[in-house]
Amino acid sequence: MKYYRAHVLICSGSNCAIKGCQTIKDALVAVLNKHELQSEIKVVDTGCLGWCEQGPSMVIYPEGVMYSRLKNSDMDEIVTEHLLKGRFVHRLMTQSTDTLGLASPLNMTPFFQKQRRVVLKNCGLINPERLEDYIHAGGYTALATALDKYAPEEIIAMVLDAGLRGRGGAGFLTGKKWSYTKAALGEPKYLICNADEGEPGTFKDRLILEGDPHLIVEGMAIAAYAIGASKGIIYVRGEYDLSIKRMEQAVLQARENGILGEGVLGSGFNFDIEVCAGAGAYVCGEETALIESIEGNRGEPRFKPPYPAEKGLWGLPTCVNNVETLANIPAIIENSPTWYRSLGTENSPGTKVFTLTGNITNSGLIEVPMGITLREIIYDIGGGIPQGRRFKMAQTGGTSGGCLAEEHLDLPMDYDSLASHGSSLGSGALLIMDDSHCILDLTHCFLKFFVHESCGKCTPCREGTPALYKLIGKMTAGQGNQDDLELIHRLARTMQDSSLCALGQTAPVPVLSAFRHFWPEVEAHMTGNCLAHKCFSGRGSKHDH
Amino acid sequence: MIEAPNKRSAQIDVFVGQPGGMLKALHALQSQSEANFLSPADIKLVASKFGVPVAKVWGTVTFYSLFATTPRGRHIIRVCENAPCHVVGASDILAALEQHLKIRAGGTTTDGLFTLEATSCLGVCGVAPAIMIDSTVYGNLTKEQLPALLAEYRQEAQA
């Protein structure tokens, strides 16, 4: 095996790719070649480091120094100073990694210190395109252990004991879902990995697939073994080109090396995975709509029951799990359910991957133990609100989640605490907004999304979403009245009670949470005043001319 | 240029008989269409190949936002207008693009080079506001950057 004296890991996740990480890499390789260092220093593409705001980024090991906001012209200095003379290039180190002019190792920076990386453990450390890298980092040992040491029932029991809940949004106990599919009659059984990530503000599954695709292959193989599925499908959003490419590559590598196909790792268990691309429809994230889409139809949700566990894909028993849910499985098998329960809270064990967006200094991808407070995420990890502005609200769980106000900053981030405040943990999207934003203007924006994405199958959602959008629009125009308010409440209740799927049931959530937590601001619009000066064409009051 | 029907037909033969092959066939047909869309003839072709009513294919095509049933420009510009992009100025980006290209969202420029579409979340909110031109994503955009960005595509078209 060849040894290198230094490794340069370049983040090649989608967010850094947009910022030009490929040209950075080309420029670095050119400078290394010029100095004839190519046999001493290895350049590696890796998955998302999480600090998307600071991209394009790289980490140089063994020192663990992170350089950010890189330009092609910086490569000369990095090579001649850091790699040749051993002196850090302080101007390219982010402020928090460079306290008092001394480099602090990556894991000691505030951004990483409060994180606990279980799902993202390999992101930013290995080359996702190499099976060898994944195996070297301990990959596929959990699958081997599962096949060798445990019966399928024992695996399900372990996942139940760990208390893992679905990370796609609904938070249903994964072990329970598995046991239903296992008990159902019909062959073959299907395991579907739901990677149709479409919740606005969410990009965690994309970066997991890009950064560590073999983790998903391993998680799927263990899940399939537990429920007795022989066929796996990973349904990836059509827009996620790199995710599709990396998954197809990982599946191929796994198949060529006996990890997928007939007799997985030499056992009697057969399992293979097919990668399937979506065609652009948010509602396909709903599991029965997703199944319809795989069957080649309009992605409209089905009536439930029967649930997919009994009659799913092609009418056969099917289990649908989110990417992040499956990414937790290998760690549970490897470290035990008790270990998993030591992370997070009693009712929400483990970690959660969040995506930070909006008015926040460090937007990006983070993984933290469940139960951490919103304040710690925003101020310690996220670096606070930029441009000297004040925190106003955070929307948790994506556009179908509720908005929380300043008084909720110390709320623990777990399934139950957020639900009790009219919001949800959902997919882990965290949209942070400063005091320049108007709650009604944003609510209007949230509703526009639902109008566009409602599939049209059931009346409450098809008719309700545009009606709500129109009513809120009337209020942002300063024309709302008392009757409208009552209508909004009635409509919201009807949609929540009678919509066929979660899309229509959750579309009113942002409206209701706005009314609950920001009532004075909503009410001011009734008298023609927008406190944030956003509505009425930015005049703040419809009376000013 | 209108391709011979038998050539279009050959492009999708591989998907006939595949479970769920219809969506794959539609993806294949559209990606090989010069005007980036599925024509009524394409839709009839798929219906007859898969042995389903034309209405079913039509319903499926119009359901998904990645499919179009009217001719589009050579490059598709998709502007995210969801909340994470909205709070950092997506509406300015859309307005600037409309002004620059002299079309509204949904329209195609007279030279047939660009179609402008307002879209849902592109999943790169870490670098909002973001747009996609064909399969390339651009992030952390300001409206000042747009003319130069579009000029690159224009130059490429002239080359």
Side-chain angles (χ1 to χ4, degrees), chain A residues 67-137:
Chain A
Y67 293 124
S68 301
R69 295 182 194 271
L70 296 169
K71 294 192 189 65
N72 293 356
S73 52
D74 297 328
M75 295 307 116
D76 226 23
E77 195 177 343
I78 288 180
V79 172
T80 51
E81 282 297 301
H82 187 138
L83 293 170
L84 277 174
K85 298 177 191 154
R87 294 194 291 237
F88 300 155
V89 185
H90 292 282
R91 68 173 184 91
L92 296 172
M93 295 163 73
T94 46
Q95 230 175 7
S96 42
T97 56
D98 188 20
T99 39
L100 305 169
L102 296 168
S104 21
L106 206 52
N107 57 4
M108 295 300 284
T109 64
F111 184 76
F112 291 103
Q113 217 169 13
K114 287 214 168 179
Q115 293 197 45
R116 181 67 201 259
R117 293 188 152 212
V118 174
V119 168
L120 302 176
K121 67 175 192 294
N122 289 334
C123 280
L125 281 178
I126 66 165
N127 179 346
E129 299 197 351
R130 282 171 47 94
L131 170 65
E132 296 85 339
D133 277 27
Y134 182 67
I135 291 174
H136 190 252

Side-chain angles (χ1 to χ4, degrees), chain A residues 19 206 237 280 297-298 453, chain B residues 56 59 64-65 120-121 140:
Chain A
K19 293 182 159 190
R206 172 183 214 145
R237 243 188 109 167
N297 306 320
R298 281 169 72 93
E453 297 296 345
Chain B
K56 182 180 156 82
Y64 294 100
S65 63
S120 291
C121 186
N140 284 145

Side-chain angles (χ1 to χ4, degrees), chain A residues 480-493:
Chain A
N481 58 41
Q482 215 55 47
D483 291 348
D484 294 333
L485 283 182
E486 202 186 307
L487 193 56
I488 288 170
H489 278 291
R490 249 190 8 234
L491 196 55
R493 223 173 18 247

Side-chain angles (χ1 to χ4, degrees), chain A residues 367-390:
Chain A
E367 182 175 357
V368 288
M370 289 270 195
I372 190 172
T373 66
L374 198 50
R375 189 186 300 279
E376 286 173 282
I377 291 182
I378 296 174
Y379 291 96
D380 297 345
I381 301 172
I385 314 294
Q387 292 167 352
R389 299 205 74 107
R390 247 180 102 84

Side-chain angles (χ1 to χ4, degrees), chain A residues 28 138 167 234 267 407 423 437 442 449 483 491 514 521 541:
Chain A
L28 177 68
R167 299 291 196 252
I234 169 155
S267 70
E407 70 251 36
S423 189
H437 295 288
L442 283 164
F449 169 75
D483 291 348
L491 196 55
E521 202 184 332
S541 165

Side-chain angles (χ1 to χ4, degrees), chain B residues 25-66:
Chain B
L26 292 167
H27 271 302
L29 277 182
Q30 178 166 285
S31 69
Q32 284 157 44
S33 137
E34 279 205 7
N36 253 319
F37 83 117
L38 291 162
S39 69
D42 290 335
I43 288 168
K44 271 192 197 143
L45 174 71
V46 171
S48 75
K49 283 271 177 188
F50 284 83
V52 294
V54 173
K56 182 180 156 82
V57 184
W58 195 260
T60 307
V61 166
T62 52
F63 183 84
Y64 294 100
S65 63
L66 292 185

Side-chain angles (χ1 to χ4, degrees), chain A residues 113-194:
Chain A
Q113 217 169 13
K114 287 214 168 179
Q115 293 197 45
R116 181 67 201 259
R117 293 188 152 212
V118 174
V119 168
L120 302 176
K121 67 175 192 294
N122 289 334
C123 280
L125 281 178
I126 66 165
N127 179 346
E129 299 197 351
R130 282 171 47 94
L131 170 65
E132 296 85 339
D133 277 27
Y134 182 67
I135 291 174
H136 190 252
Y140 290 115
T141 45
L143 175 61
T145 310
L147 294 173
D148 193 39
K149 273 176 66 180
Y150 301 111
E153 294 77 10
E154 290 173 300
I155 303 280
I156 295 180
M158 284 168 86
V159 173
L160 261 179
D161 285 346
L164 175 66
R165 296 170 71 169
R167 299 291 196 252
F172 193 76
L173 275 172
T174 305
K176 210 167 240 180
K177 205 172 190 179
W178 287 9
S179 68
Y180 296 152
T181 317
K182 167 124 191 104
L185 297 174
E187 288 290 333
K189 287 178 185 168
Y190 290 95
L191 173 79
I192 298 176
C193 172
N194 183 349

